[in-house]
Amino acid sequence: MATVKPVPIPEAPLAPYLCVRNAAQAIEFYQKAFGAKVIFRMDDPSGSGKIGHAELKIENAHIYLCDEFPEMDTRGPESIGGSPVMLHLYVKDVDAFTERAVKAGITVDRRVENQIYGDRGGKFIDPFGHIWWIASHKEDVSAEEVTRRAKKMMAQQQQQDQQ
């Protein structure tokens, strides 16, 4: 029997670029909450005190980060009233990872639980307005099995709604 990988895509070629109102605080938060490592940091050469570009590594994932620069039409979720984008992060142990993130100040939007498609995960909002789905892959599930589980889940939900 094959071993299920908790992080099914170890090297993804896409790195999200997050814009935040205070990048220095965001870096500190991601270090504390996610165990992020700073790979590179470049302060704004104009002397504004802002971070022009930073690269962080969280487990096997890379993210880029910068401060807001409204004059260059670069704004974060706090300035635009939320984020239409959700970041999906696979980690080795979602429960331990999110316990640390919650202690550091991330907001739980949907608690960690087993999902019908084989992941164990939950939805969170960081203090800078970015939405995260954090998960560990626990089980390889066929499309047919996901459909069967979804139908069962919907039937159970309908029963609960009728009670």
Side-chain angles (χ1 to χ4, degrees):
M1 185 168 161
T3 303
V4 175
K5 296 178 183 177
V7 182
I9 308 166
E11 295 295 329
L14 177 68
Y17 206 127
L18 307 181
C19 179
V20 297
R21 186 168 285 161
N22 187 326
Q25 282 183 347
I27 289 171
E28 288 178 25
F29 172 78
Y30 295 133
Q31 287 175 312
K32 185 176 179 182
F34 294 175
K37 307 281 187 256
V38 178
I39 305 301
F40 177 79
R41 175 179 166 162
M42 180 182 73
D43 293 334
D44 177 18
S46 75
S48 69
K50 294 181 177 184
I51 295 174
H53 177 77
E55 298 177 18
L56 307 179
K57 186 173 182 182
I58 303 168
E59 294 197 13
N60 285 332
H62 290 264
I63 63 169
Y64 299 149
L65 183 77
C66 70
D67 264 297
E68 292 185 317
F69 290 90
E71 66 278 10
M72 295 168 36
D73 203 25
T74 303
R75 293 175 180 82
E78 292 175 295
S79 291
I80 62 172
S83 176
V85 176
M86 184 166 47
L87 303 157
H88 192 286
L89 177 65
Y90 277 113
V91 297
K92 291 178 184 158
D93 182 346
V94 67
D95 293 293
F97 190 94
T98 55
E99 182 179 335
R100 178 179 64 203
V102 167
K103 285 180 184 174
I106 205 162
T107 300
V108 177
D109 189 61
R110 187 168 161 198
R111 68 183 172 85
V112 172
E113 59 187 354
N114 294 333
Q115 305 299 321
I116 61 173
Y117 45 85
D119 286 358
R120 178 168 175 74
K123 183 178 171 190
F124 305 87
I125 303 171
D126 72 27
F128 307 93
H130 291 285
I131 303 165
W132 295 81
W133 183 267
I134 302 171
S136 294
H137 188 64
K138 298 293 188 181
E139 176 187 16
D140 293 328
V141 183
S142 69
E144 295 81 14
E145 179 61 14
V146 171
T147 301
R148 187 192 69 73
R149 291 177 183 183
K151 287 178 182 177
K152 181 180 177 184
M153 184 177 70
M154 291 169 116
Q156 289 172 339
Q157 184 63 46
Q158 286 177 343
Q159 272 185 330
Q160 289 175 359
D161 291 347
Q162 292 173 354
Q163 293 176 357

